[in-house]
Amino acid sequence: MDIRNGQIYLEDVPVTLLAQTYGTPTYVYEENRIRANFRRALSAFKKYYPNFRFFYAIKANNNLAVANILRQEGAGIDAASVNEILLAQKLGLGGDDVMFSGNFLSDEDIRQGLESGVIFNLDDISLLPRVLKYGKPERISFRVNPGYGKSDVGDFVTNAGPDAKFGVHPEQVMNAYRMARDAGIKRFGAHMMPGSCIRDPEYFKFITEILMDLIGRAAAELGISFDFIDLGGGLGIPYRHGDSYLDIDKAASLVAEVFTKKIAEYKMTPPRLMMEPARYFVGDAGYILGTVHAIKDSYRRIIGTDVSMNTLARPAMYGAYHHIYVNGREDEPRRTVGLCGQVCENTDFWVRERELPQGIDLGDIIVVENAGAYGYAMSYQYNGRLRPAEVLVNGNQHWLIRQRENIEDLVRNVTVPAHLQK
Ligand code: LLP
């Protein structure tokens, strides 16, 4: 993003042109920013541990155009569901290019997951006998709950620690691998998800050490070796201006240091190191454009826009903060206002108080930052407010990569029984 003579550009395309061409609300992604984010992270980790690969957690942004950028850069895919395995297949990826980390799976999920031939990562010890019913996979990986979690998003985004529903309890890890070994499995992997949006490099070291002690003990006691260890996602980005960036080089060097130390300590054959971030790659490369449609002076001034809780769910869901720019007005003095969307819920009043340019007016374009991850992917159709369009920009080029929904999308799967049609 860039502001030139007061006008906001995404790469080299003015937001006014994007709003005119595609309407609002519209998600816009900067291709070069995604590539730069990926390359910065990859070169950091490869520098300290060359046998390294990223798997993109496609849940954060499942547009195939976006996912193809990351595939071109060399990423595999982290799939959270069978449908995400199918999305990966649409990218031409399968087998060891895809990591399937579902949770609380049905038998049908397990069957399809195994049949797809991707890396199967078990969220619990109780899954092992259910998996074995369908045959003996060549390799088994467990998602470990390391006992700690951390989140910069909100209380509900906890994916490890005592309050998380995910992963094998630390005290059950040894047993899980023992059961798998005794069932005749020969190859192993391990996985964790350390937390969400973490900007402290030391935390990655701390949590990697805990995982490696659990895995190292299992390797030593059970005489098994690990093909790979996947440290999950969680590489953070700053949402608030003034918050620090994650020092990715430091994170990579600390992780690699403790990883290699533990490999030596437990005399393990060095496994492939994997991570599966998403926010770090796509979060700050995406924006949602909106238009100011109404302004009300009530208990305070409320700016009404078409960026609603159904198009950007994070603020209403987690109290998450997103910076907002107003095109053409960033140089103006500020006044405190509220800002909301158009849905009939007061959680849609998603900015209760913010200093915004005082002249903000009908027809103005707002640009909401850091919307590339968990933005469109979490959008829904409440109030008959449909999902927005998605656009990719690269230099001065732009492409529609997902059409805005229309009324047909709202009724697509609905059937009205005959007696109700009279
Ligand atoms: N791997 C696993 C197993 C995950 O559960 C997740 C995210 C990731 C990787 C990618 O994590 P990342 O690098 O993007 O932090 N909706 C919330 C975030 C939920 C995260 C879910 N799991 C938000 O809007 O902040």
Side-chain angles (χ1 to χ4, degrees):
M1 197 200 94
D2 199 11
I3 304 182
R4 304 174 193 162
N5 290 327
Q7 295 299 305
I8 301 178
Y9 286 70
L10 299 182
E11 296 218 359
D12 293 323
V13 190
V15 293
T16 45
L17 176 69
L18 293 167
Q20 240 167 43
T21 312
Y22 304 105
T24 60
T26 291
Y27 278 94
V28 184
Y29 310 114
E30 296 180 319
E31 179 175 342
N32 288 302
R33 183 74 176 253
I34 297 174
R35 290 190 191 276
N37 289 342
F38 186 88
R39 287 174 192 176
R40 185 186 322 112
L42 186 67
S43 62
F45 279 92
K46 271 196 172 284
K47 178 163 110 193
Y48 298 106
Y49 196 88
N51 186 11
F52 178 88
R53 188 171 184 199
F54 276 129
F55 285 62
Y56 168 54
I58 198 168
K59 65 179 71 106
N61 184 324
N62 66 17
N63 191 297
L64 291 177
V66 169
N68 265 309
I69 299 171
L70 294 157
R71 177 192 57 78
Q72 285 183 344
E73 294 292 333
I77 291 292
D78 164 50
S81 64
V82 170
N83 281 336
E84 289 191 349
I85 298 176
L86 300 178
L87 279 180
Q89 289 173 355
K90 287 186 187 295
L91 300 166
L93 297 178
D96 279 2
D97 292 328
V98 180
M99 176 87 175
F100 176 34
S101 295
N103 66 96
F104 296 87
L105 298 176
S106 70
D107 279 348
E108 189 52 20
D109 290 330
I110 295 173
R111 193 187 62 71
Q112 290 182 30
L114 286 170
E115 207 175 86
S116 72
V118 302
I119 308 172
F120 204 133
N121 187 34
L122 277 55
D123 184 67
D124 188 35
I125 195 166
S126 64
L127 247 72
L128 187 62
R130 292 176 61 204
V131 163
L132 293 173
K133 260 192 345 209
Y134 296 100
K136 197 163 52 177
E138 204 187 318
R139 173 174 53 202
I140 282 287
S141 167
F142 285 103
R143 174 172 180 163
V144 173
N145 180 341
Y148 295 85
K150 187 177 168 76
S151 164
D152 195 21
V153 176
D155 286 347
F156 295 104
V157 189
T158 304
N159 21 41
D163 282 332
K165 68 166 178 159
F166 305 106
V168 178
H169 188 286
E171 286 168 14
Q172 295 174 355
V173 170
M174 182 70 78
N175 220 8
Y177 285 104
R178 179 178 287 115
M179 276 170 68
R181 183 202 61 180
D182 293 349
I185 310 284
K186 298 273 185 276
R187 297 171 58 202
F188 299 91
H191 170 276
M192 71 168 166
M193 176 65 190
S196 258
C197 200
I198 299 150
R199 289 176 293 114
D200 172 13
E202 299 286 345
Y203 178 76
F204 288 101
K205 178 181 173 194
F206 163 78
I207 203 80
T208 301
E209 183 156 21
I210 291 176
L211 177 74
M212 289 305 286
D213 278 329
L214 291 166
I215 296 307
R217 273 186 230 125
E221 188 171 324
L222 304 173
I224 59 175
S225 66
F226 284 80
D227 288 5
F228 71 83
I229 294 182
D230 181 340
L231 303 180
L235 299 175
I237 58 169
Y239 282 87
R240 288 177 189 274
H241 287 195
D243 278 357
S244 60
Y245 280 83
L246 167 66
D247 182 341
I248 195 79
D249 194 81
K250 187 163 182 202
S253 85
L254 290 174
V255 162
E257 181 193 316
V258 71
F259 193 72
T260 25
K261 187 181 96 187
K262 291 291 165 183
I263 286 169
E265 185 178 327
Y266 292 103
K267 301 187 174 50
M268 295 168 74
T269 318
R272 165 177 263 197
L273 179 57
M274 295 169 24
M275 281 190 89
E276 49 188 38
R279 192 189 317 264
Y280 189 84
F281 302 147
V282 296
D284 68 5
Y287 304 80
I288 180 164
L289 308 187
T291 303
V292 175
H293 289 299
I295 296 179
K296 173 185 285 187
D297 282 309
S298 176
Y299 289 92
R300 77 198 77 161
R301 175 165 282 200
I302 306 174
I303 312 296
T305 79
D306 51 20
V307 177
S308 303
M309 62 190 283
N310 73 302
T311 45
L312 181 69
R314 304 184 73 256
M317 255 178 111
Y318 315 122
Y321 178 92
H322 285 265
H323 191 83
I324 298 165
Y325 297 89
V326 183
N327 187 54
R329 298 195 186 276
E330 284 299 309
D331 291 338
E332 289 181 9
R334 312 248 143 188
R335 75 173 267 188
T336 305
V337 294
L339 184 142
C340 67
Q342 301 168 311
V343 163
C344 296
E345 294 275 350
N346 215 41
T347 40
D348 192 41
F349 191 2
W350 58 274
V351 178
R352 294 290 161 98
E353 272 190 2
R354 187 80 63 89
E355 298 271 301
L356 288 181
Q358 67 176 18
I360 187 167
D361 206 356
L362 302 185
D364 281 354
I365 307 294
I366 63 160
V367 180
V368 183
E369 201 178 42
N370 290 322
Y374 310 106
Y376 187 95
M378 287 172 37
S379 64
Y380 51 95
Q381 299 173 321
Y382 185 41
N383 272 210
R385 296 269 173 204
L386 302 175
R387 291 191 187 87
E390 291 182 292
V391 167
L392 183 71
V393 294
N394 181 338
N396 58 14
Q397 292 182 283
H398 47 98
W399 302 267
L400 182 66
I401 56 171
R402 181 153 15 206
Q403 277 181 27
R404 183 178 305 290
E405 288 184 336
N406 60 38
I407 180 67
E408 293 311 318
D409 296 301
L410 199 55
V411 296
R412 183 174 310 287
N413 299 315
V414 177
T415 335
V416 179
H419 72 283
L420 299 177
Q421 295 186 21
K422 284 183 206 138

